Amino acid sequence: MRIADDLLHIAKGEVLGDSWSRQIYSVDASHYEIQPAAVVHPVDEHVVEEACKYSFAKKVPITARGAGTGLLGQSLSDGILLDFTKHMNRIVEIEDNHVVVQPGIVKAVLDKELKKRNKFLPPDPASSNYCTIGGMIADNSSGVHCLGYGNTIDFLEAVDVVYAEGEPGFASVDRYDDRMEKLFKILSPNVDVIKSGYPKVSKNSCGYRLDAVMSRRFMPQKVFAASEGTLGIVTSAKLRILDIPTCRCMIVLGFEDLIDAVSQVPAVLEFSPVALEMLDHTVVSHDRTSDTGCLLFVEFAGESRKIEDRLKACREELAGKCSVVEYASDEQSMVNIWRARKGALNDIMKLTVGSRKPIGLIEDTVVRPELLADHTANLLQTYRQNNLDYVMYGHVGDGNIHTRPLLDLGSGEEVDLIQRIAGIVFGQVIRSGGTITGEHGDGLARVGYIEMMYGSRITGLFSAVKKLFDPSFTMNPGKKVPVQ
């Protein structure tokens, strides 16, 4: 309790150190369980600064936490947890083309306020009703509509942060602190290595996104997207927002099986949908009585009724290859359809077969869409060879497959099995130019595979960046870069 007692002088009573509270915060949406030493509800950035100073001086880990919806243990720590959802959850500013928010605001709450102004922030993960903007930045979250609009990193324009030593920092394209100057000096001699060393796919949250930092120009704020709180703690963020499109429509297409469905993804993409999602029968058939069938959800959006023409042309292109299960062009019908798709993760996490349940490790791979059918066939073959039940769905327009085998983590043999499968699947994905982490983050589960993904030169840069921002490895240690 010494850490909690010390922190009481910093956080003005907003500290939890009792065993029940620490147990509550020992879990997230993953299968990991790590009990923190204390939990702080910071009321402002000054409390964050003081907590970081204490962490740095005492060499105690410190980790930011939002709603705890991370799937791979990103926000779990045996040190100090900073929960931003209670106090630092406000919208600071809404303008015509951007919003400034604190990290603890829930995405759905922000969506509601933006909608009043006919605006939206496109990244919309399945956990939008619960997840926070801080968590979305930490993981570079995406969601259903990232195909048409981009990922969280694409909308991040500026951040205020607190560094490991408790010093405040700031970063945007036009204005950044001295530490960002040092970041530029580390990365600029390695631009060619960075450019050639990253996967050529539309979404990626593996490692640090140095390619986004050194893209068209130096964009230092983007180093915090997908960083999982290992470089600094974001206390406010400025994000670009868009006008809600005037016209939207969608269709749900039914296919005989999964391979038939994903084989048609490149054809559907020719008509420029803003969303293209897949639900396999392993998710749809909750009673497990059906062993065939697959759905594609396709949405079109724009500023004119020409989107209806695109939908019609898409449907004609696929005539004879699938059936039209649903069509919608009014908002409520589309909300209902997307609610069913977004509910897939909740349904999956509740699924059990005896002592086995869906386990994440290979659940977030991305390949180019034209390679998706081969990648899916490889996954199915791996499951058949190992006699495994599984679930499968995903953002197939981006080539992003979410799949989980059903395993018993109480069995050492099955733990070894998922690790062997990961080695095989990740190797295939990497050789195809894809990524092992599309949007869920690396967390505790995939940190050991990051060097396999990038090789020693890029991961050497990751280590250099980590040491620049967090020389004592107190900021969410064990994520992104192995503890040294």
Side-chain angles (χ1 to χ4, degrees):
M1 292 292 291
R2 173 64 186 275
I3 293 175
D5 291 341
D6 289 347
L7 291 171
L8 280 169
H9 300 292
I10 296 170
K12 303 179 182 68
E14 294 290 328
V15 175
L16 303 175
D18 61 285
S19 59
W20 185 85
S21 296
R22 290 164 57 220
Q23 183 64 32
I24 292 294
Y25 282 91
S26 70
V27 295
D28 59 3
S30 73
H31 61 272
Y32 295 100
E33 183 173 339
I34 302 173
Q35 194 167 113
V39 179
V40 179
H41 294 288
V43 296
D44 56 32
E45 65 273 15
H46 303 298
V47 173
V48 178
E49 291 169 11
E50 292 302 316
C52 286
K53 288 176 182 176
Y54 178 88
S55 161
F56 187 76
K58 302 291 185 178
K59 301 294 186 288
V60 176
I62 189 164
T63 298
R65 181 180 171 115
T69 57
L71 299 170
L72 298 160
Q74 292 95 312
S75 64
L76 301 183
S77 169
D78 61 359
I80 301 165
L81 283 188
L82 302 181
D83 180 351
F84 289 96
T85 59
K86 186 173 183 180
H87 299 297
M88 295 185 68
N89 57 9
R90 295 186 301 109
I91 299 172
V92 178
E93 172 182 297
I94 300 180
E95 296 294 340
D96 188 57
N97 61 356
H98 74 263
V99 61
V100 178
V101 298
Q102 293 180 316
I105 188 167
V106 172
K107 176 60 163 54
V109 174
L110 176 60
D111 288 340
K112 185 176 180 180
E113 291 304 310
L114 291 177
K115 189 175 181 180
K116 295 175 183 177
R117 296 161 172 82
N118 198 41
K119 300 288 182 179
F120 78 126
L121 177 66
D124 54 347
S127 57
S128 289
N129 286 339
Y130 318 102
C131 71
T132 63
I133 295 298
M136 289 177 62
I137 293 169
D139 287 340
N140 183 29
S141 298
S142 301
V144 167
H145 290 92
C146 63
L147 173 63
Y149 301 102
N151 313 301
T152 300
I153 197 168
D154 301 308
F155 293 87
L156 186 62
E157 294 194 337
V159 293
D160 290 325
V161 299
V162 176
Y163 293 125
E165 304 92 336
E167 295 300 316
F170 53 90
S172 67
V173 169
D174 301 318
R175 179 175 171 268
Y176 43 86
D177 59 46
D178 292 343
R179 201 165 312 212
M180 293 302 172
E181 294 273 9
K182 295 176 182 177
L183 176 65
F184 181 77
K185 290 178 180 177
I186 291 173
L187 301 185
S188 57
N190 296 283
V191 168
D192 291 339
V193 173
I194 293 169
K195 188 175 294 186
S196 62
Y198 277 74
K200 303 301 186 285
V201 288
S202 59
K203 62 197 304 187
N204 178 30
S205 293
C206 186
Y208 295 132
R209 287 298 307 274
L210 307 183
D211 58 326
V213 176
M214 302 299 290
S215 182
R216 301 179 307 277
R217 56 194 295 196
F218 183 51
M219 294 186 277
Q221 77 277 10
K222 294 183 185 291
V223 77
F224 295 103
S227 71
E228 298 179 8
T230 60
L231 303 179
I233 295 176
V234 174
T235 55
S236 75
K238 177 182 177 182
L239 298 131
R240 179 168 56 93
I241 55 176
L242 304 178
D243 292 327
I244 295 175
T246 305
C247 303
R248 297 170 62 206
C249 59
M250 70 180 297
I251 48 174
V252 181
L253 305 172
F255 291 82
E256 286 292 324
D257 60 36
L258 174 60
I259 296 298
D260 282 350
V262 296
S263 295
Q264 295 304 317
V265 166
V268 176
L269 289 174
E270 290 295 318
F271 300 95
S272 302
V274 296
L276 174 49
E277 301 288 299
M278 177 271 288
L279 279 185
D280 182 45
H281 75 274
T282 53
V283 178
V284 175
S285 300
H286 305 297
D287 58 3
R288 324 305 290 171
T289 57
S290 172
D291 60 358
T292 61
C294 186
L295 300 176
L296 291 185
F297 296 67
V298 190
E299 180 182 328
F300 299 88
E303 301 309 313
S304 76
R305 280 293 165 189
K306 289 183 179 179
I307 62 164
E308 292 274 6
D309 296 335
R310 297 212 311 272
L311 183 150
K312 181 180 178 182
C314 177
R315 186 169 56 192
E316 291 173 352
E317 173 67 23
L318 298 178
K321 300 173 183 174
C322 61
S323 60
V324 177
V325 178
E326 295 232 31
Y327 164 82
S329 59
D330 65 284
E331 182 175 359
Q332 190 55 53
S333 296
M334 293 178 68
V335 166
N336 292 339
I337 292 172
W338 281 127
R339 184 180 294 127
R341 161 60 186 88
K342 287 188 173 185
L345 179 60
N346 289 332
D347 293 342
I348 286 167
M349 300 309 279
K350 297 172 187 174
L351 176 64
T352 58
V353 178
S355 60
R356 294 180 172 183
K357 59 183 180 180
I359 299 301
L361 179 57
I362 61 168
E363 90 297 337
D364 197 26
T365 57
V366 184
V367 298
R368 296 192 306 277
E370 64 268 25
L371 303 177
L372 189 59
D374 287 342
H375 176 46
T376 305
N378 288 336
L379 288 168
L380 294 177
Q381 182 181 20
T382 298
Y383 287 144
R384 283 194 299 268
Q385 288 173 342
N386 292 281
N387 195 29
L388 288 173
D389 292 325
Y390 64 92
V391 291
M392 197 174 298
Y393 64 108
H395 312 293
V396 290
D398 287 291
N400 186 195
I401 289 285
H402 294 328
T403 185
R404 291 173 171 82
L406 272 66
L407 294 166
D408 177 9
L409 291 184
S411 163
E413 289 183 4
E414 297 203 4
V415 171
D416 291 341
L417 175 60
I418 185 59
Q419 291 173 347
R420 289 199 304 274
I421 288 173
I424 293 168
V425 172
F426 290 164
Q428 292 170 340
V429 168
I430 293 165
R431 286 191 295 274
S432 73
T435 179
I436 64 175
T437 301
E439 61 180 11
H440 290 168
D442 296 312
L444 293 166
R446 280 193 287 269
V447 64
Y449 296 93
I450 293 176
E451 186 165 357
M452 177 184 180
M453 171 73 202
Y454 287 109
S456 59
R457 293 189 70 180
I458 295 290
T459 52
L461 287 174
F462 292 167
S463 294
V465 170
K466 174 67 171 174
K467 289 172 185 175
L468 169 65
F469 286 92
D470 181 23
S472 296
F473 281 69
T474 54
M475 304 210 88
N476 206 13
K479 324 297 175 16
K480 294 297 179 180
V481 175
V483 176
Q484 299 178 5

